[in-house]
mmCIF file of all heavy atoms in Angstrom:
data_model
loop_
_atom_site.group_PDB
_atom_site.id
_atom_site.type_symbol
_atom_site.label_atom_id
_atom_site.label_comp_id
_atom_site.label_asym_id
_atom_site.label_seq_id
_atom_site.Cartn_x
_atom_site.Cartn_y
_atom_site.Cartn_z
ATOM 1 N N PHE A 188 -9.481 4.041 -2.499
ATOM 2 C CA PHE A 188 -10.461 4.607 -3.410
ATOM 3 C C PHE A 188 -10.440 6.132 -3.315
ATOM 4 O O PHE A 188 -9.886 6.695 -2.381
ATOM 5 C CB PHE A 188 -11.846 4.047 -3.076
ATOM 6 C CG PHE A 188 -11.942 2.565 -3.301
ATOM 7 C CD1 PHE A 188 -11.568 1.667 -2.314
ATOM 8 C CD2 PHE A 188 -12.389 2.068 -4.513
ATOM 9 C CE1 PHE A 188 -11.637 0.301 -2.522
ATOM 10 C CE2 PHE A 188 -12.461 0.696 -4.737
ATOM 11 C CZ PHE A 188 -12.084 -0.185 -3.740
ATOM 12 N N SER A 189 -11.078 6.766 -4.285
ATOM 13 C CA SER A 189 -11.094 8.227 -4.313
ATOM 14 C C SER A 189 -11.764 8.805 -3.071
ATOM 15 O O SER A 189 -11.492 9.935 -2.686
ATOM 16 C CB SER A 189 -11.804 8.731 -5.576
ATOM 17 O OG SER A 189 -13.109 8.191 -5.654
ATOM 18 N N SER A 190 -12.622 8.014 -2.434
ATOM 19 C CA SER A 190 -13.282 8.441 -1.197
ATOM 20 C C SER A 190 -12.346 8.426 -0.006
ATOM 21 O O SER A 190 -12.646 8.997 1.051
ATOM 22 C CB SER A 190 -14.471 7.528 -0.910
ATOM 23 O OG SER A 190 -14.012 6.205 -0.666
ATOM 24 N N GLY A 191 -11.224 7.721 -0.167
ATOM 25 C CA GLY A 191 -10.290 7.559 0.934
ATOM 26 C C GLY A 191 -10.381 6.205 1.617
ATOM 27 O O GLY A 191 -9.551 5.870 2.458
ATOM 28 N N THR A 192 -11.390 5.434 1.251
ATOM 29 C CA THR A 192 -11.529 4.088 1.808
ATOM 30 C C THR A 192 -10.342 3.226 1.402
ATOM 31 O O THR A 192 -9.899 3.279 0.254
ATOM 32 C CB THR A 192 -12.821 3.443 1.297
ATOM 33 O OG1 THR A 192 -13.941 4.234 1.722
ATOM 34 C CG2 THR A 192 -12.974 2.031 1.842
ATOM 35 N N THR A 193 -9.852 2.438 2.350
ATOM 36 C CA THR A 193 -8.704 1.574 2.087
ATOM 37 C C THR A 193 -9.018 0.124 2.460
ATOM 38 O O THR A 193 -9.863 -0.149 3.326
ATOM 39 C CB THR A 193 -7.480 2.021 2.895
ATOM 40 O OG1 THR A 193 -7.799 2.012 4.288
ATOM 41 C CG2 THR A 193 -7.042 3.427 2.499
ATOM 42 N N ASN A 194 -8.320 -0.772 1.804
ATOM 43 C CA ASN A 194 -8.384 -2.189 2.145
ATOM 44 C C ASN A 194 -6.973 -2.761 2.045
ATOM 45 O O ASN A 194 -6.188 -2.349 1.182
ATOM 46 C CB ASN A 194 -9.313 -2.944 1.199
ATOM 47 C CG ASN A 194 -10.767 -2.760 1.574
ATOM 48 O OD1 ASN A 194 -11.169 -2.947 2.711
ATOM 49 N ND2 ASN A 194 -11.576 -2.375 0.595
ATOM 50 N N TYR A 195 -6.689 -3.731 2.920
ATOM 51 C CA TYR A 195 -5.371 -4.334 2.966
ATOM 52 C C TYR A 195 -5.458 -5.857 2.979
ATOM 53 O O TYR A 195 -6.410 -6.436 3.505
ATOM 54 C CB TYR A 195 -4.619 -3.898 4.232
ATOM 55 C CG TYR A 195 -4.336 -2.418 4.323
ATOM 56 C CD1 TYR A 195 -5.241 -1.552 4.926
ATOM 57 C CD2 TYR A 195 -3.153 -1.896 3.811
ATOM 58 C CE1 TYR A 195 -4.986 -0.202 5.014
ATOM 59 C CE2 TYR A 195 -2.882 -0.534 3.891
ATOM 60 C CZ TYR A 195 -3.804 0.306 4.488
ATOM 61 O OH TYR A 195 -3.534 1.655 4.568
ATOM 62 N N ALA A 196 -4.428 -6.475 2.432
ATOM 63 C CA ALA A 196 -4.296 -7.915 2.586
ATOM 64 C C ALA A 196 -4.052 -8.217 4.057
ATOM 65 O O ALA A 196 -3.395 -7.441 4.755
ATOM 66 C CB ALA A 196 -3.134 -8.432 1.744
ATOM 67 N N ASP A 197 -4.558 -9.351 4.520
ATOM 68 C CA ASP A 197 -4.391 -9.705 5.930
ATOM 69 C C ASP A 197 -2.918 -9.755 6.326
ATOM 70 O O ASP A 197 -2.565 -9.417 7.460
ATOM 71 C CB ASP A 197 -5.048 -11.062 6.205
ATOM 72 C CG ASP A 197 -6.561 -10.994 6.188
ATOM 73 O OD1 ASP A 197 -7.108 -9.877 6.307
ATOM 74 O OD2 ASP A 197 -7.192 -12.046 6.053
ATOM 75 N N SER A 198 -2.079 -10.161 5.403
ATOM 76 C CA SER A 198 -0.661 -10.354 5.706
ATOM 77 C C SER A 198 0.066 -9.037 5.978
ATOM 78 O O SER A 198 1.176 -9.056 6.535
ATOM 79 C CB SER A 198 0.029 -11.092 4.563
ATOM 80 O OG SER A 198 -0.107 -10.376 3.352
ATOM 81 N N VAL A 199 -0.526 -7.905 5.600
ATOM 82 C CA VAL A 199 0.173 -6.625 5.788
ATOM 83 C C VAL A 199 -0.576 -5.668 6.709
ATOM 84 O O VAL A 199 -0.070 -4.577 7.013
ATOM 85 C CB VAL A 199 0.436 -5.924 4.437
ATOM 86 C CG1 VAL A 199 1.175 -6.850 3.489
ATOM 87 C CG2 VAL A 199 -0.846 -5.407 3.814
ATOM 88 N N LYS A 200 -1.748 -6.057 7.166
ATOM 89 C CA LYS A 200 -2.524 -5.180 8.052
ATOM 90 C C LYS A 200 -1.714 -4.823 9.299
ATOM 91 O O LYS A 200 -1.102 -5.689 9.917
ATOM 92 C CB LYS A 200 -3.831 -5.863 8.445
ATOM 93 C CG LYS A 200 -4.893 -5.828 7.368
ATOM 94 C CD LYS A 200 -6.176 -6.507 7.849
ATOM 95 C CE LYS A 200 -7.236 -6.490 6.750
ATOM 96 N NZ LYS A 200 -8.462 -7.204 7.175
ATOM 97 N N GLY A 201 -1.748 -3.545 9.634
ATOM 98 C CA GLY A 201 -1.013 -3.080 10.802
ATOM 99 C C GLY A 201 0.439 -2.758 10.532
ATOM 100 O O GLY A 201 1.116 -2.163 11.371
ATOM 101 N N ARG A 202 0.937 -3.144 9.359
ATOM 102 C CA ARG A 202 2.343 -2.883 9.020
ATOM 103 C C ARG A 202 2.476 -1.929 7.835
ATOM 104 O O ARG A 202 3.427 -1.152 7.758
ATOM 105 C CB ARG A 202 3.063 -4.189 8.700
ATOM 106 C CG ARG A 202 3.078 -5.190 9.827
ATOM 107 C CD ARG A 202 3.999 -6.374 9.517
ATOM 108 N NE ARG A 202 3.557 -7.119 8.334
ATOM 109 C CZ ARG A 202 4.306 -7.291 7.248
ATOM 110 N NH1 ARG A 202 5.510 -6.777 7.169
ATOM 111 N NH2 ARG A 202 3.832 -8.000 6.223
ATOM 112 N N PHE A 203 1.547 -2.012 6.895
ATOM 113 C CA PHE A 203 1.596 -1.193 5.684
ATOM 114 C C PHE A 203 0.486 -0.145 5.724
ATOM 115 O O PHE A 203 -0.614 -0.406 6.233
ATOM 116 C CB PHE A 203 1.398 -2.044 4.438
ATOM 117 C CG PHE A 203 2.540 -2.972 4.112
ATOM 118 C CD1 PHE A 203 3.570 -3.222 5.007
ATOM 119 C CD2 PHE A 203 2.577 -3.602 2.871
ATOM 120 C CE1 PHE A 203 4.610 -4.071 4.693
ATOM 121 C CE2 PHE A 203 3.618 -4.460 2.537
ATOM 122 C CZ PHE A 203 4.622 -4.695 3.457
ATOM 123 N N THR A 204 0.774 1.026 5.161
ATOM 124 C CA THR A 204 -0.220 2.082 5.067
ATOM 125 C C THR A 204 -0.195 2.675 3.666
ATOM 126 O O THR A 204 0.856 3.106 3.187
ATOM 127 C CB THR A 204 0.055 3.199 6.081
ATOM 128 O OG1 THR A 204 0.055 2.658 7.413
ATOM 129 C CG2 THR A 204 -1.027 4.279 5.996
ATOM 130 N N ILE A 205 -1.360 2.687 3.025
ATOM 131 C CA ILE A 205 -1.473 3.281 1.698
ATOM 132 C C ILE A 205 -2.083 4.669 1.828
ATOM 133 O O ILE A 205 -2.995 4.890 2.646
ATOM 134 C CB ILE A 205 -2.326 2.385 0.759
ATOM 135 C CG1 ILE A 205 -2.262 2.898 -0.680
ATOM 136 C CG2 ILE A 205 -3.762 2.255 1.241
ATOM 137 C CD1 ILE A 205 -2.871 1.923 -1.701
ATOM 138 N N SER A 206 -1.549 5.611 1.051
ATOM 139 C CA SER A 206 -2.073 6.965 1.065
ATOM 140 C C SER A 206 -2.080 7.500 -0.367
ATOM 141 O O SER A 206 -1.368 6.981 -1.230
ATOM 142 C CB SER A 206 -1.240 7.872 1.970
ATOM 143 O OG SER A 206 0.108 7.892 1.549
ATOM 144 N N ARG A 207 -2.856 8.560 -0.565
ATOM 145 C CA ARG A 207 -3.062 9.016 -1.933
ATOM 146 C C ARG A 207 -3.189 10.535 -1.990
ATOM 147 O O ARG A 207 -3.783 11.151 -1.102
ATOM 148 C CB ARG A 207 -4.330 8.354 -2.479
ATOM 149 C CG ARG A 207 -4.760 8.773 -3.859
ATOM 150 C CD ARG A 207 -5.957 7.932 -4.294
ATOM 151 N NE ARG A 207 -6.556 8.449 -5.509
ATOM 152 C CZ ARG A 207 -7.591 7.882 -6.127
ATOM 153 N NH1 ARG A 207 -8.132 6.790 -5.642
ATOM 154 N NH2 ARG A 207 -8.083 8.409 -7.221
ATOM 155 N N ASP A 208 -2.657 11.102 -3.048
ATOM 156 C CA ASP A 208 -2.846 12.511 -3.379
ATOM 157 C C ASP A 208 -3.670 12.548 -4.647
ATOM 158 O O ASP A 208 -3.141 12.374 -5.748
ATOM 159 C CB ASP A 208 -1.484 13.193 -3.560
ATOM 160 C CG ASP A 208 -1.615 14.678 -3.852
ATOM 161 O OD1 ASP A 208 -2.679 15.116 -4.343
ATOM 162 O OD2 ASP A 208 -0.653 15.412 -3.590
ATOM 163 N N ASN A 209 -4.976 12.729 -4.508
ATOM 164 C CA ASN A 209 -5.866 12.647 -5.669
ATOM 165 C C ASN A 209 -5.517 13.678 -6.746
ATOM 166 O O ASN A 209 -5.537 13.386 -7.933
ATOM 167 C CB ASN A 209 -7.320 12.838 -5.230
ATOM 168 C CG ASN A 209 -7.858 11.633 -4.493
ATOM 169 O OD1 ASN A 209 -7.385 10.524 -4.673
ATOM 170 N ND2 ASN A 209 -8.833 11.863 -3.648
ATOM 171 N N ALA A 210 -5.205 14.888 -6.303
ATOM 172 C CA ALA A 210 -4.954 15.954 -7.263
ATOM 173 C C ALA A 210 -3.737 15.664 -8.128
ATOM 174 O O ALA A 210 -3.697 16.034 -9.299
ATOM 175 C CB ALA A 210 -4.777 17.275 -6.524
ATOM 176 N N LYS A 211 -2.762 14.991 -7.552
ATOM 177 C CA LYS A 211 -1.529 14.735 -8.281
ATOM 178 C C LYS A 211 -1.439 13.325 -8.827
ATOM 179 O O LYS A 211 -0.404 12.932 -9.360
ATOM 180 C CB LYS A 211 -0.333 15.028 -7.373
ATOM 181 C CG LYS A 211 -0.251 16.478 -6.926
ATOM 182 C CD LYS A 211 0.960 16.722 -6.053
ATOM 183 C CE LYS A 211 1.050 18.184 -5.626
ATOM 184 N NZ LYS A 211 2.243 18.434 -4.771
ATOM 185 N N LYS A 212 -2.511 12.540 -8.672
ATOM 186 C CA LYS A 212 -2.520 11.161 -9.156
ATOM 187 C C LYS A 212 -1.323 10.385 -8.608
ATOM 188 O O LYS A 212 -0.627 9.681 -9.348
ATOM 189 C CB LYS A 212 -2.536 11.118 -10.683
ATOM 190 C CG LYS A 212 -3.857 11.610 -11.269
ATOM 191 C CD LYS A 212 -3.869 11.492 -12.774
ATOM 192 C CE LYS A 212 -5.252 11.657 -13.366
ATOM 193 N NZ LYS A 212 -5.971 12.842 -12.953
ATOM 194 N N LYS A 213 -1.070 10.540 -7.331
ATOM 195 C CA LYS A 213 0.017 9.841 -6.679
ATOM 196 C C LYS A 213 -0.510 8.952 -5.559
ATOM 197 O O LYS A 213 -1.473 9.302 -4.873
ATOM 198 C CB LYS A 213 1.022 10.839 -6.100
ATOM 199 C CG LYS A 213 1.796 11.635 -7.129
ATOM 200 C CD LYS A 213 2.801 12.553 -6.453
ATOM 201 C CE LYS A 213 3.648 13.296 -7.466
ATOM 202 N NZ LYS A 213 4.636 14.195 -6.812
ATOM 203 N N VAL A 214 0.162 7.825 -5.373
ATOM 204 C CA VAL A 214 -0.157 6.948 -4.267
ATOM 205 C C VAL A 214 1.152 6.451 -3.658
ATOM 206 O O VAL A 214 2.137 6.259 -4.370
ATOM 207 C CB VAL A 214 -1.039 5.759 -4.719
ATOM 208 C CG1 VAL A 214 -0.297 4.849 -5.677
ATOM 209 C CG2 VAL A 214 -1.558 4.983 -3.533
ATOM 210 N N SER A 215 1.156 6.288 -2.351
ATOM 211 C CA SER A 215 2.342 5.811 -1.654
ATOM 212 C C SER A 215 1.989 4.603 -0.802
ATOM 213 O O SER A 215 0.833 4.416 -0.408
ATOM 214 C CB SER A 215 2.908 6.910 -0.750
ATOM 215 O OG SER A 215 3.334 8.027 -1.508
ATOM 216 N N LEU A 216 2.989 3.806 -0.530
ATOM 217 C CA LEU A 216 2.834 2.653 0.346
ATOM 218 C C LEU A 216 3.957 2.689 1.375
ATOM 219 O O LEU A 216 5.113 2.485 1.026
ATOM 220 C CB LEU A 216 2.875 1.339 -0.437
ATOM 221 C CG LEU A 216 2.586 0.083 0.381
ATOM 222 C CD1 LEU A 216 1.114 0.065 0.809
ATOM 223 C CD2 LEU A 216 2.916 -1.175 -0.413
ATOM 224 N N GLN A 217 3.610 2.987 2.607
ATOM 225 C CA GLN A 217 4.578 2.988 3.689
ATOM 226 C C GLN A 217 4.598 1.593 4.296
ATOM 227 O O GLN A 217 3.578 1.116 4.804
ATOM 228 C CB GLN A 217 4.196 4.021 4.754
ATOM 229 C CG GLN A 217 5.147 4.063 5.931
ATOM 230 C CD GLN A 217 6.536 4.537 5.553
ATOM 231 O OE1 GLN A 217 6.682 5.512 4.818
ATOM 232 N NE2 GLN A 217 7.552 3.853 6.047
ATOM 233 N N MET A 218 5.761 0.964 4.235
ATOM 234 C CA MET A 218 5.896 -0.410 4.712
ATOM 235 C C MET A 218 6.802 -0.430 5.936
ATOM 236 O O MET A 218 7.939 0.049 5.860
ATOM 237 C CB MET A 218 6.477 -1.290 3.607
ATOM 238 C CG MET A 218 5.671 -1.250 2.321
ATOM 239 S SD MET A 218 6.299 -2.364 1.046
ATOM 240 C CE MET A 218 7.869 -1.581 0.690
ATOM 241 N N SER A 219 6.297 -0.974 7.027
ATOM 242 C CA SER A 219 7.063 -1.045 8.263
ATOM 243 C C SER A 219 7.159 -2.497 8.730
ATOM 244 O O SER A 219 6.398 -3.350 8.288
ATOM 245 C CB SER A 219 6.380 -0.197 9.344
ATOM 246 O OG SER A 219 6.258 1.139 8.938
ATOM 247 N N SER A 220 8.088 -2.722 9.642
ATOM 248 C CA SER A 220 8.282 -4.074 10.191
ATOM 249 C C SER A 220 8.345 -5.112 9.077
ATOM 250 O O SER A 220 7.666 -6.146 9.114
ATOM 251 C CB SER A 220 7.140 -4.410 11.164
ATOM 252 O OG SER A 220 7.069 -3.474 12.207
ATOM 253 N N LEU A 221 9.165 -4.830 8.092
ATOM 254 C CA LEU A 221 9.241 -5.699 6.921
ATOM 255 C C LEU A 221 9.784 -7.077 7.278
ATOM 256 O O LEU A 221 10.640 -7.226 8.167
ATOM 257 C CB LEU A 221 10.091 -5.051 5.837
ATOM 258 C CG LEU A 221 9.368 -3.943 5.071
ATOM 259 C CD1 LEU A 221 10.349 -3.041 4.342
ATOM 260 C CD2 LEU A 221 8.378 -4.551 4.077
ATOM 261 N N LYS A 222 9.253 -8.076 6.577
ATOM 262 C CA LYS A 222 9.630 -9.460 6.795
ATOM 263 C C LYS A 222 10.207 -10.042 5.502
ATOM 264 O O LYS A 222 9.887 -9.558 4.410
ATOM 265 C CB LYS A 222 8.394 -10.278 7.191
ATOM 266 C CG LYS A 222 7.649 -9.749 8.397
ATOM 267 C CD LYS A 222 6.374 -10.547 8.632
ATOM 268 C CE LYS A 222 5.597 -10.023 9.827
ATOM 269 N NZ LYS A 222 4.345 -10.801 10.050
ATOM 270 N N PRO A 223 10.997 -11.093 5.602
ATOM 271 C CA PRO A 223 11.527 -11.712 4.368
ATOM 272 C C PRO A 223 10.421 -12.120 3.401
ATOM 273 O O PRO A 223 10.606 -12.051 2.187
ATOM 274 C CB PRO A 223 12.281 -12.932 4.905
ATOM 275 C CG PRO A 223 12.738 -12.513 6.259
ATOM 276 C CD PRO A 223 11.598 -11.682 6.809
ATOM 277 N N GLU A 224 9.273 -12.508 3.921
ATOM 278 C CA GLU A 224 8.169 -12.912 3.046
ATOM 279 C C GLU A 224 7.516 -11.749 2.308
ATOM 280 O O GLU A 224 6.646 -11.956 1.464
ATOM 281 C CB GLU A 224 7.105 -13.695 3.825
ATOM 282 C CG GLU A 224 6.637 -13.030 5.100
ATOM 283 C CD GLU A 224 7.362 -13.549 6.331
ATOM 284 O OE1 GLU A 224 8.604 -13.718 6.280
ATOM 285 O OE2 GLU A 224 6.683 -13.761 7.362
ATOM 286 N N ASP A 225 7.919 -10.523 2.622
ATOM 287 C CA ASP A 225 7.449 -9.363 1.869
ATOM 288 C C ASP A 225 8.266 -9.153 0.596
ATOM 289 O O ASP A 225 7.940 -8.282 -0.230
ATOM 290 C CB ASP A 225 7.528 -8.092 2.714
ATOM 291 C CG ASP A 225 6.578 -8.117 3.897
ATOM 292 O OD1 ASP A 225 5.421 -8.544 3.722
ATOM 293 O OD2 ASP A 225 6.998 -7.711 4.998
ATOM 294 N N THR A 226 9.315 -9.929 0.444
ATOM 295 C CA THR A 226 10.149 -9.818 -0.749
ATOM 296 C C THR A 226 9.337 -10.133 -2.001
ATOM 297 O O THR A 226 8.707 -11.188 -2.099
ATOM 298 C CB THR A 226 11.344 -10.777 -0.656
ATOM 299 O OG1 THR A 226 12.183 -10.363 0.425
ATOM 300 C CG2 THR A 226 12.152 -10.772 -1.944
ATOM 301 N N ALA A 227 9.353 -9.205 -2.947
ATOM 302 C CA ALA A 227 8.567 -9.359 -4.171
ATOM 303 C C ALA A 227 8.807 -8.159 -5.076
ATOM 304 O O ALA A 227 9.431 -7.171 -4.658
ATOM 305 C CB ALA A 227 7.077 -9.453 -3.842
ATOM 306 N N VAL A 228 8.291 -8.266 -6.280
ATOM 307 C CA VAL A 228 8.196 -7.094 -7.147
ATOM 308 C C VAL A 228 6.839 -6.446 -6.856
ATOM 309 O O VAL A 228 5.808 -7.129 -6.899
ATOM 310 C CB VAL A 228 8.304 -7.465 -8.630
ATOM 311 C CG1 VAL A 228 8.141 -6.208 -9.495
ATOM 312 C CG2 VAL A 228 9.642 -8.129 -8.921
ATOM 313 N N TYR A 229 6.867 -5.175 -6.557
ATOM 314 C CA TYR A 229 5.652 -4.447 -6.215
ATOM 315 C C TYR A 229 5.200 -3.613 -7.410
ATOM 316 O O TYR A 229 5.994 -2.873 -8.002
ATOM 317 C CB TYR A 229 5.895 -3.549 -4.997
ATOM 318 C CG TYR A 229 5.925 -4.321 -3.708
ATOM 319 C CD1 TYR A 229 6.977 -5.182 -3.415
ATOM 320 C CD2 TYR A 229 4.889 -4.215 -2.785
ATOM 321 C CE1 TYR A 229 7.003 -5.917 -2.240
ATOM 322 C CE2 TYR A 229 4.905 -4.940 -1.600
ATOM 323 C CZ TYR A 229 5.965 -5.788 -1.338
ATOM 324 O OH TYR A 229 5.980 -6.519 -0.168
ATOM 325 N N TYR A 230 3.928 -3.759 -7.747
ATOM 326 C CA TYR A 230 3.353 -3.074 -8.901
ATOM 327 C C TYR A 230 2.265 -2.106 -8.460
ATOM 328 O O TYR A 230 1.432 -2.430 -7.612
ATOM 329 C CB TYR A 230 2.724 -4.082 -9.859
ATOM 330 C CG TYR A 230 3.692 -5.066 -10.468
ATOM 331 C CD1 TYR A 230 3.946 -6.283 -9.854
ATOM 332 C CD2 TYR A 230 4.341 -4.776 -11.671
ATOM 333 C CE1 TYR A 230 4.837 -7.188 -10.412
ATOM 334 C CE2 TYR A 230 5.224 -5.686 -12.235
ATOM 335 C CZ TYR A 230 5.464 -6.882 -11.604
ATOM 336 O OH TYR A 230 6.335 -7.786 -12.166
ATOM 337 N N CYS A 231 2.267 -0.954 -9.086
ATOM 338 C CA CYS A 231 1.215 0.026 -8.866
ATOM 339 C C CYS A 231 0.172 -0.127 -9.971
ATOM 340 O O CYS A 231 0.515 -0.341 -11.141
ATOM 341 C CB CYS A 231 1.803 1.428 -8.893
ATOM 342 S SG CYS A 231 0.601 2.751 -8.669
ATOM 343 N N ASN A 232 -1.089 -0.014 -9.589
ATOM 344 C CA ASN A 232 -2.198 -0.104 -10.545
ATOM 345 C C ASN A 232 -3.142 1.071 -10.348
ATOM 346 O O ASN A 232 -3.476 1.420 -9.222
ATOM 347 C CB ASN A 232 -2.946 -1.417 -10.353
ATOM 348 C CG ASN A 232 -4.179 -1.505 -11.223
ATOM 349 O OD1 ASN A 232 -5.308 -1.311 -10.766
ATOM 350 N ND2 ASN A 232 -3.978 -1.786 -12.494
ATOM 351 N N ALA A 233 -3.545 1.657 -11.458
ATOM 352 C CA ALA A 233 -4.511 2.754 -11.417
ATOM 353 C C ALA A 233 -5.695 2.401 -12.295
ATOM 354 O O ALA A 233 -5.515 2.005 -13.458
ATOM 355 C CB ALA A 233 -3.858 4.045 -11.898
#
């Protein structure tokens, strides 16, 4: 959220980190310790 509050799916907690640059309307998702079950098409939503 614009406040900086974040929420994660249980399946990615501790492995994924979302961050945001409000001024530039950018968001990133750092994914670590990836597993085969993370395979998917990833969509960004604003």
Side-chain angles (χ1 to χ4, degrees):
F188 296 86
S189 56
S190 64
T192 299
T193 58
N194 280 309
Y195 297 90
D197 288 342
S198 58
V199 306
K200 282 181 181 177
R202 300 189 298 121
F203 290 12
T204 301
I205 189 170
S206 58
R207 176 175 170 178
D208 182 337
N209 287 335
K211 298 181 179 180
K212 291 183 167 52
K213 292 182 176 180
V214 65
S215 297
L216 186 69
Q217 179 66 45
M218 304 183 293
S219 302
S220 302
L221 283 162
K222 304 175 181 180
E224 50 264 43
D225 294 317
T226 295
V228 178
Y229 284 70
Y230 297 91
C231 179
N232 175 258

